[in-house]
Amino acid sequence: FLHQIYDSFWDLLDSLQSPFAMTLSSGLDGSSPGFHLFQSRQKGAEASVAGGAGYLVLRTGRGSLEKAMSGRRWTAQARNRQLARGLNVVGYPGGFPDGEDAEQLRRRSGAAFVVDSMAGEDGRGRFRIYVPGLTPSFPISEGKAYLLSVPRATVLTLPGCE
């Protein structure tokens, strides 16, 4: 859900007043696949926030928050994401074309479904899922992350708005 690069997860957590953030690693970079947790009180090894990656952030009891980020510009390479078979979390690092929706992201990635989060009427976060033929597509929103399930490893090239 970030537009620009933050130097570390710790900066991200401090800015969002969150106790933790998680990333979903594909394991393609040699790391173990699965969710990786970064806790605000467990600072140690530095971890950079990457362009085009998605982050799950908890803000218990604080309601939704929209936060503009600043930092270094995304590189052109951030538009190309290596997706592993199974679950992946992605964000749009360079904006997106007008009218972009979950169906376009699903087709581009080959995913079975696309999930995002949104504020419910009570202000609490809710998941929204798009499954072709079962649920309606939804518009892509600036600064959000999307959870995808792909049947095989592939490279996803995200559109940019230069």
Side-chain angles (χ1 to χ4, degrees):
F1 56 52
L2 304 174
H3 309 280
Q4 297 178 318
I5 297 173
Y6 249 61
D7 288 328
S8 72
F9 279 108
W10 322 128
D11 296 336
L12 172 67
L13 294 176
D14 289 345
S15 174
L16 296 176
Q17 303 168 4
S18 174
F20 73 83
M22 294 188 328
T23 64
L24 182 60
S25 172
S26 63
L28 295 171
D29 61 359
S31 64
S32 46
F35 286 98
H36 294 268
L37 177 68
F38 294 88
Q39 298 178 17
S40 60
R41 292 190 177 92
Q42 195 175 14
K43 294 183 184 180
E46 285 301 308
S48 295
V49 175
Y55 302 96
L56 303 173
V57 178
L58 174 70
R59 287 182 41 85
T60 56
R62 293 187 176 100
S64 63
L65 169 72
E66 188 169 318
K67 182 85 171 165
M69 302 291 180
S70 62
R72 297 183 308 275
R73 293 182 58 82
W74 293 123
T75 63
Q77 294 81 8
R79 292 181 49 213
N80 298 315
R81 291 293 314 278
Q82 178 67 47
L83 302 180
R85 180 180 177 267
L87 293 176
N88 295 268
V89 180
V90 299
Y92 282 70
F96 52 88
D98 288 341
E100 185 83 357
D101 68 2
E103 170 57 15
Q104 289 169 309
L105 174 57
R106 188 200 65 77
R107 271 185 287 154
R108 190 177 289 116
S109 64
F113 61 81
V114 178
V115 179
D116 80 346
S117 62
M118 58 185 280
E121 290 181 19
D122 60 0
R124 298 179 62 165
R126 302 280 186 259
F127 288 110
R128 174 171 54 175
I129 184 167
Y130 169 61
V131 179
L134 294 177
T135 59
S137 184
F138 50 83
I140 297 297
S141 298
E142 185 175 14
K144 282 198 166 187
Y146 298 91
L147 180 68
L148 312 171
S149 177
V150 295
R152 64 189 149 285
T154 188
V155 174
L156 168 63
T157 300
L158 293 164
C161 294
E162 284 85 40

